[in-house]
């Protein structure tokens, strides 16, 4: 039982690298994302997550819908 909590600790410590990668990818695809948003060629904006990120998805979908009037949904990524 020496490794109790090891996976959770690794997950937590990996977060700075994960967020750096997300931000880098967002910057790389920034023009495509802006173009897709401006085109409005979509019916629904879907947020996904598991566990606590699903709750974040619920909040993000509600907030974006209120701010933009767009149809937004949150769904569990595990389904």
């Amino acid at each position: 039982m020496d490794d109790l909590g090891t996976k959770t600790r690794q997950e937590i410590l990996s977060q700075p690298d994960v967020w750096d990668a997300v931000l880098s990818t967002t910057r790389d695809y920034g023009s495509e994302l802006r173009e897709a948003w401006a085109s409005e060629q979509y019916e629904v904006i879907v947020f996904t997550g598991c566990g606590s990120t699903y709750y974040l998805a619920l909040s993000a979908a509600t907030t974006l819908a209120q701010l933009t009037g767009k149809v937004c949904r949150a769904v569990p990524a595990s389904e």
Side-chain angles (χ1 to χ4, degrees):
M1 294 231 133
D2 290 23
D3 61 347
L4 186 62
T6 299
K7 292 191 185 304
T8 300
R9 184 173 190 276
Q10 289 171 343
E11 175 67 22
I12 291 168
L13 294 176
S14 75
Q15 289 302 295
D17 292 333
V18 170
W19 281 103
D20 187 46
V22 168
L23 292 173
S24 177
T25 300
T26 302
R27 281 189 294 272
D28 292 346
Y29 291 96
S31 61
E32 289 90 343
L33 291 169
R34 284 188 291 280
E35 187 177 313
W37 179 259
S39 75
E40 296 192 29
Q41 294 182 0
Y42 50 85
E43 295 178 24
V44 179
I45 299 165
V46 179
F47 292 84
T48 64
C50 290
S52 59
T53 57
Y54 172 64
Y55 296 112
L56 178 60
L58 289 168
S59 296
T62 300
T63 301
L64 189 62
Q66 289 176 346
L67 291 173
T68 65
K70 307 290 183 193
V71 178
C72 300
R73 298 285 181 261
V75 296
S78 57
E79 293 185 9

